[in-house]
Amino acid sequence: MPTCEYGCERCGHEFTTVLTVREHDKARPKCPRCKSRRAQQAVSAVFVNTSRKG
Ligand SMILES: [Zn+2]
Protein backbone atom coordinates (compact mmCIF):
# COMPACT_ATOMS: atom_id res chain seq x y z
CA MET A 1 0.00 0.00 0.00
CA PRO A 2 1.47 3.34 -1.00
CA THR A 3 2.03 5.48 2.00
CA CYS A 4 3.73 8.81 2.40
CA GLU A 5 5.23 10.23 5.51
CA TYR A 6 4.67 13.87 6.25
CA GLY A 7 5.77 16.30 8.85
CA CYS A 8 3.64 19.29 9.68
CA GLU A 9 5.53 22.56 9.61
CA ARG A 10 3.02 24.19 11.84
CA CYS A 11 2.71 21.87 14.82
CA GLY A 12 5.46 19.40 14.14
CA HIS A 13 3.12 16.46 14.03
CA GLU A 14 4.34 13.58 11.93
CA PHE A 15 1.84 11.42 10.18
CA THR A 16 1.53 8.87 7.47
CA THR A 17 -1.11 9.01 4.82
CA VAL A 18 -2.14 6.73 2.04
CA LEU A 19 -2.40 8.43 -1.29
CA THR A 20 -2.68 7.44 -4.85
CA VAL A 21 -0.21 9.01 -7.19
CA ARG A 22 -2.88 11.21 -8.65
CA GLU A 23 -4.05 12.44 -5.29
CA HIS A 24 -0.54 13.09 -4.20
CA ASP A 25 0.12 15.10 -7.30
CA LYS A 26 -2.82 17.41 -7.00
CA ALA A 27 -3.43 17.81 -3.32
CA ARG A 28 -1.40 18.19 -0.23
CA PRO A 29 -2.55 16.29 2.78
CA LYS A 30 -3.93 18.05 5.78
CA CYS A 31 -2.37 17.67 9.14
CA PRO A 32 -4.80 15.59 11.20
CA ARG A 33 -3.91 17.54 14.30
CA CYS A 34 -4.05 21.20 13.33
CA LYS A 35 -5.68 20.91 9.90
CA SER A 36 -2.87 22.85 8.36
CA ARG A 37 -1.83 22.15 4.83
CA ARG A 38 1.73 23.06 5.59
CA ALA A 39 2.81 19.48 5.62
CA GLN A 40 6.03 18.55 3.97
CA GLN A 41 6.83 15.13 2.76
CA ALA A 42 9.46 13.53 4.88
CA VAL A 43 12.11 12.39 2.46
CA SER A 44 14.68 10.23 4.20
CA ALA A 45 17.04 12.41 6.20
CA VAL A 46 16.44 15.52 4.16
CA PHE A 47 13.47 16.43 6.25
CA VAL A 48 14.59 18.84 8.91
CA ASN A 49 12.21 19.64 11.65
CA THR A 50 12.63 23.33 12.25
CA SER A 51 9.21 23.94 13.63
CA ARG A 52 8.47 24.39 17.27
CA LYS A 53 7.01 21.50 19.08
CA GLY A 54 4.02 21.80 21.28
ZN1 LIG B 1 -0.08 20.22 12.22
Side-chain angles (χ1 to χ4, degrees), residues 13-26:
H13 181 58
E14 293 180 17
F15 59 98
T16 302
T17 186
V18 180
L19 295 173
T20 67
V21 174
R22 182 184 290 177
E23 284 175 331
H24 179 254
D25 193 47
K26 74 175 182 180

Side-chain angles (χ1 to χ4, degrees), residues 6-41:
Y6 288 89
C8 178
E9 288 188 332
R10 188 170 172 187
C11 71
H13 181 58
E14 293 180 17
F15 59 98
T16 302
T17 186
V18 180
L19 295 173
T20 67
V21 174
R22 182 184 290 177
E23 284 175 331
H24 179 254
D25 193 47
K26 74 175 182 180
R28 284 191 169 201
K30 275 192 201 172
C31 172
R33 181 182 285 176
C34 70
K35 312 301 184 189
S36 169
R37 284 190 177 271
R38 296 195 61 180
Q40 288 202 340
Q41 188 169 7

